[in-house]
Amino acid sequence: MNKLLIVGTVAFDAIETPFGKTDKILGGAATYIGLSASFFNLKSAIVSVVGDDFPQEYLDLLKDRNIDISGLEIVKGGKTFFWSGRYHNDLNSRDTLDTQLNTLADFQPKVPQEFKDADVVMLGNLHPLVQASVLDQMEKEPKLVVLDTMNFWMDCALPELLDVIKRVDVITINDEEARQLTGEYSLVKAAAKIHTMGPEYVVIKKGEHGALLFHGKEIFFAPALPLEEVFDPTGAGDTFAGGFAGFIAQSENVSFKNMKNAIIYGSNLASFCVEKFGTERMVGLEKAAVHERLQQFKALTQFDIVVENNG
Amino acid sequence: MNKLLIVGTVAFDAIETPFGKTDKILGGAATYIGLSASFFNLKSAIVSVVGDDFPQEYLDLLKDRNIDISGLEIVKGGKTFFWSGRYHNDLNSRDTLDTQLNTLADFQPKVPQEFKDADVVMLGNLHPLVQASVLDQMEKEPKLVVLDTMNFWMDCALPELLDVIKRVDVITINDEEARQLTGEYSLVKAAAKIHTMGPEYVVIKKGEHGALLFHGKEIFFAPALPLEEVFDPTGAGDTFAGGFAGFIAQSENVSFKNMKNAIIYGSNLASFCVEKFGTERMVGLEKAAVHERLQQFKALTQFDIVVENNG
C-alpha cells in the first residue's frame, strides 16, 4: 500500500454558525485531512502536536481510521492548539474569536521512520518552516508534495512561505489568498504567477463556488455540490485537500488527467464535511455514500454535445 | 427553420469599468439576446422600442445578423432607453449612474404576425406586464417560454411578476435575485420554491461562478470559462440567455439533457461577450471560435472516474 504523510494542526475548535454553536470539539487541518484520506486504500500518518488535555477518545478516533499517530507528539503539561470562530450568515466569511497556539508555538515535527519514504506528502496549513522541516526529513523523494497554506503566513512569514512553495508540486490555496500572493485579480493570471514560484499544479479553492486546477495552460474545474443546507464549513478546505492527496496516493498516478479525478474526489468528500458540525459527518461517513455521491458529481457536470449538429 | 421571438430592451449604454469608459453605445437585453442567438440556425425577431435618435447603423447591425426587426418600433421624436453604470474593481458589482426610460415608459409590444407561432419565446428583462402582453399575443403555444427578470421588478411589480412567472417554462435569474424572490439562502431550496411558482426549469446565474440548471431533483452546473481578463460584464447574462434560447430553438428539443447543452452554449457565448466593451466582441465573433471554445468547456469539466478502482 502507498503511504501518505500528513502534517498539520490537530486542535480543539469552538464554532458558531447561524445554526448553532459547539463547545471545544475535535478540529485541525491534519485531522480533517487524515479523516478524508482514510476513505482510500493507503497507509497514512499524521505529524502534529497536542497537549495532554487532548482526550484519548480523539486519539482512538484517528487510530480507528487506520491513521498512524506515532508522529503525533503529546506534550506533558501542555495544552492543545485552540481556535474559535464565528461564521457570518452567508457562511462564506467568518471572524476568528480566539486563537491559542499553546503547544503549537514550539512544535518541531518528527517524521516517523516508516514514513520517511512516503509516496505523497500533504503539508497542511502550518508555519512554512514546519512544512519545510518535514520535507527536510524525507529520505526518498516523494512522488508528489502538496502544500496548503493561508493568508496569515503571507502576512507574517512570506519569505519562508515562498521558500517552501518552491519545493512543492501542488499548492492548494483559496481565491483571495491566490490574489494576495500574486497581486493578480484574475485567477488565470494568479495561477500563472504561482507556477513561476515553483508548483507545477495550482489548485484554487473557491468554497461553495468549486475549485480550479491549473497546469500550465490546462484548466479543470470541479463545482461544489449544491446542497440544501450547509451546516458548518469548518474543515471543508482540508477535507478537500485530504481527498485530493488521498486519491493521488492510492492511485500512484500524478498525471493531469488523474488530478482531475482527485479534485472531484476532494470536492465529493468536502460536500459531506459541511453537512454537520466539525468532524461529525466525516467520522460517520461510509464509503458507499461517497461512491454514490460521485454519480451526483457526474450528473452535475457531464454533458454530450455533438458540435457538428450545432450550426 | 425554427422561430425564436425575443422581447427586451434595445438601448444606449454608457459603461465605466476599471479598464476604461464608453460614450453611448449599443446595448439592451434584446440586443444581446439577439446577437447571441444569431449563432444558431433559426429565424429570430426582436420586439422592442427605440426613439428616432437610434442610429441606422445599429439597426443595420441587427439586420445583418438576420434578426427580424419589424417588431422594433421606432417612435418619432422619441428618445431611446438609456442606461449608465460603473463597475467596481472586482467587476462583480456595479452602480447604476443613470436610467432614462424615455420611449420605454409607454411601450406596448407588438408581435409581428410571422412570429405569433414562434417555437421559442425569450422574454428578456422588462416590465412583467410587457412580458405578459407578448405571451397574450401568441396564436400558437410555444414549445418553450424562457423568462429573464431582475430584482427591480421584485421591488416594484411583484404581483405582475409572479403572474407572468406562472406562465413560463424556464426562468433565468441571478443568485441574489433567486434569494430575494424566495427568501431562501440555499440555491437548492430557492430553486425548489421557484418550481412551485410555475417554471419547470430554473436557471440560476452566478456570473463568474457559472450557472445552475434545476429540474425537480436534477441539477446541472456549467462553469464560466476562466479568463485572463474580463473587460466588461455588461450583457453577459443576456448573452447567456440568448445562447440558451437559441440553442433550444435550433434543436427543437426541450429535454433536460438538451438543456444541459443549451446552458453550456449560453456560458460559451457569454465568455466571449465579456472580452470587450458592450456588443463589440459579439459583433465580430465567428462561429468557428464558438465551436473551438466548446472544446475548452469540455476540457474544463469532463472527467472519467472508474468508481470500482477507487477503494
Side-chain angles (χ1 to χ4, degrees):
Chain A
M1 262 198 289
N2 293 317
K3 294 181 194 169
L4 170 66
L5 177 65
I6 299 160
V7 62
T9 52
V10 172
F12 289 130
D13 286 348
I15 303 162
E16 283 184 53
T17 81
F19 307 107
K21 62 185 284 185
T22 66
D23 286 329
K24 281 183 176 184
I25 57 172
L26 175 61
T31 305
Y32 283 103
I33 293 168
L35 289 176
S36 185
S38 73
F39 287 88
F40 302 94
N41 292 318
L42 46 82
K43 288 173 83 165
S44 69
I46 286 178
V47 172
S48 192
V49 65
V50 290
D52 57 10
D53 58 346
F54 196 74
Q56 185 63 38
E57 168 200 352
Y58 289 166
L59 296 172
D60 290 343
L61 186 153
L62 295 173
K63 280 194 281 189
D64 286 349
R65 310 295 294 201
N66 282 317
I67 301 168
D68 182 318
I69 55 167
S70 62
L72 175 58
E73 187 185 348
I74 300 168
V75 177
K76 274 200 186 147
K79 288 180 74 182
T80 301
F81 172 58
F82 172 69
W83 174 82
S84 170
R86 182 191 294 133
Y87 287 88
H88 301 163
N89 277 336
D90 65 3
L91 293 177
N92 280 328
S93 54
R94 68 185 185 192
D95 297 322
T96 290
L97 301 176
D98 194 5
T99 305
Q100 298 172 16
L101 282 183
N102 297 331
T103 53
L104 203 63
D106 306 307
F107 175 44
Q108 304 283 344
K110 282 171 210 69
V111 177
Q113 187 59 40
E114 197 196 338
F115 281 85
K116 288 186 176 172
D117 63 351
D119 303 277
V120 174
V121 177
M122 175 72 231
L123 303 171
N125 177 39
L126 261 184
H127 195 297
L129 289 180
V130 172
Q131 295 177 318
S133 161
V134 167
L135 292 185
D136 292 341
Q137 295 173 55
M138 300 306 289
E139 293 180 352
K140 202 182 114 190
E141 198 186 346
K143 291 199 188 75
L144 199 75
V145 178
V146 184
L147 175 140
D148 189 50
T149 188
M150 69 182 294
N151 50 2
F152 182 77
W153 308 115
M154 296 174 200
D155 297 333
C156 304
L158 186 58
E160 295 87 342
L161 178 62
L162 292 174
D163 277 345
V164 71
I165 284 177
K166 264 185 216 155
R167 301 172 64 182
V168 309
D169 304 296
V170 184
I171 184 172
T172 71
I173 191 171
N174 79 27
D175 43 2
E176 285 319 307
E177 291 158 353
R179 286 169 175 142
Q180 178 175 345
L181 185 61
T182 62
E184 294 287 351
Y185 184 80
S186 156
L187 297 179
V188 175
K189 286 188 178 174
K193 261 201 187 170
I194 296 172
H195 280 322
T196 68
M197 296 176 182
E200 193 179 344
Y201 298 92
V202 176
V203 177
I204 297 183
K205 301 176 287 183
K206 304 200 297 170
E208 63 162 330
H209 299 303
L212 287 158
L213 167 66
F214 294 88
H215 177 230
K217 293 282 173 201
E218 292 180 293
I219 314 180
F220 180 68
F221 175 81
L225 196 70
L227 296 169
E228 283 215 10
E229 204 86 86
V230 170
F231 205 76
D232 172 17
T234 308
D238 298 313
T239 300
F240 172 88
F244 177 84
F247 184 87
I248 297 281
Q250 173 188 267
S251 62
E252 268 191 284
N253 176 339
V254 298
S255 69
F256 182 72
K257 181 163 184 281
N258 198 49
M259 283 202 192
K260 293 183 181 187
N261 296 344
I263 293 280
I264 293 288
Y265 259 94
S267 302
N268 183 341
L269 286 156
S271 76
F272 287 102
C273 177
V274 302
E275 289 182 339
K276 292 193 180 176
F277 264 123
T279 58
E280 193 182 346
R281 185 70 180 100
M282 297 312 288
V283 168
L285 186 60
E286 300 286 335
K287 278 188 183 180
V290 179
H291 289 164
E292 196 183 310
R293 191 160 284 188
L294 184 62
Q295 301 307 323
Q296 284 181 261
F297 273 89
K298 284 189 177 175
L300 184 65
T301 57
Q302 305 302 286
F303 61 91
D304 186 22
I305 299 181
V306 181
V307 174
E308 289 69 32
N309 289 347
N310 300 327
Chain B
M1 258 197 291
N2 294 317
K3 294 181 194 170
L4 171 66
L5 177 64
I6 299 160
V7 62
T9 52
V10 173
F12 289 130
D13 286 348
I15 303 161
E16 283 183 52
T17 81
F19 306 107
K21 59 186 285 187
T22 66
D23 287 331
K24 282 182 176 184
I25 57 171
L26 175 61
T31 305
Y32 282 102
I33 293 167
L35 289 176
S36 184
S38 73
F39 286 88
F40 301 95
N41 291 319
L42 46 82
K43 287 173 82 165
S44 69
I46 286 178
V47 172
S48 192
V49 64
V50 291
D52 58 8
D53 58 345
F54 196 74
Q56 185 62 39
E57 168 200 354
Y58 288 165
L59 296 172
D60 291 343
L61 185 153
L62 295 173
K63 282 194 280 189
D64 287 349
R65 308 297 293 203
N66 282 318
I67 301 168
D68 182 319
I69 56 168
S70 61
L72 175 58
E73 186 186 347
I74 300 168
V75 177
K76 272 199 187 147
K79 288 180 74 179
T80 301
F81 172 59
F82 173 69
W83 175 81
S84 171
R86 182 192 293 135
Y87 287 88
H88 301 164
N89 277 338
D90 65 4
L91 292 177
N92 280 327
S93 54
R94 67 187 185 189
D95 297 322
T96 290
L97 302 176
D98 194 4
T99 305
Q100 297 171 17
L101 281 183
N102 298 329
T103 52
L104 202 63
D106 306 307
F107 175 44
Q108 304 283 344
K110 283 171 209 70
V111 177
Q113 188 58 40
E114 198 195 338
F115 281 84
K116 288 185 176 172
D117 64 351
D119 303 276
V120 175
V121 177
M122 176 71 230
L123 303 172
N125 176 40
L126 260 183
H127 195 296
L129 289 179
V130 173
Q131 295 177 317
S133 163
V134 166
L135 292 185
D136 293 339
Q137 294 174 55
M138 299 306 289
E139 293 179 352
K140 202 183 116 190
E141 199 187 344
K143 290 200 189 75
L144 199 75
V145 178
V146 185
L147 175 139
D148 190 50
T149 189
M150 70 183 293
N151 50 1
F152 182 76
W153 308 116
M154 295 173 201
D155 296 332
C156 304
L158 184 60
E160 296 88 341
L161 179 61
L162 292 174
D163 277 345
V164 72
I165 285 177
K166 265 184 216 154
R167 303 172 63 184
V168 309
D169 305 296
V170 185
I171 184 170
T172 70
I173 192 171
N174 78 28
D175 42 2
E176 284 318 308
E177 291 158 354
R179 287 171 175 141
Q180 179 175 345
L181 185 61
T182 62
E184 293 288 352
Y185 184 80
S186 155
L187 297 179
V188 175
K189 287 187 178 176
K193 263 202 186 169
I194 297 172
H195 280 320
T196 69
M197 297 175 182
E200 194 178 344
Y201 299 92
V202 176
V203 177
I204 297 183
K205 301 175 288 183
K206 304 200 298 170
E208 65 162 328
H209 299 303
L212 286 158
L213 166 66
F214 294 88
H215 177 231
K217 292 284 172 200
E218 293 181 292
I219 314 180
F220 180 68
F221 176 81
L225 196 71
L227 296 169
E228 283 216 7
E229 203 85 85
V230 170
F231 204 76
D232 171 18
T234 308
D238 298 312
T239 301
F240 172 87
F244 177 83
F247 184 87
I248 297 281
Q250 173 188 268
S251 62
E252 268 191 285
N253 177 340
V254 298
S255 69
F256 182 73
K257 182 165 185 278
N258 198 50
M259 282 201 194
K260 293 183 181 185
N261 295 343
I263 292 281
I264 293 289
Y265 257 95
S267 303
N268 183 339
L269 285 155
S271 75
F272 287 103
C273 177
V274 302
E275 289 183 340
K276 291 192 180 177
F277 263 124
T279 59
E280 193 181 347
R281 185 70 179 98
M282 297 312 287
V283 169
L285 185 59
E286 302 285 336
K287 277 188 185 181
V290 179
H291 289 163
E292 195 183 311
R293 190 160 285 187
L294 184 61
Q295 302 307 323
Q296 284 180 261
F297 272 89
K298 284 189 177 176
L300 184 65
T301 57
Q302 305 303 285
F303 61 91
D304 186 21
I305 300 182
V306 181
V307 174
E308 289 68 33
N309 289 346
N310 299 327

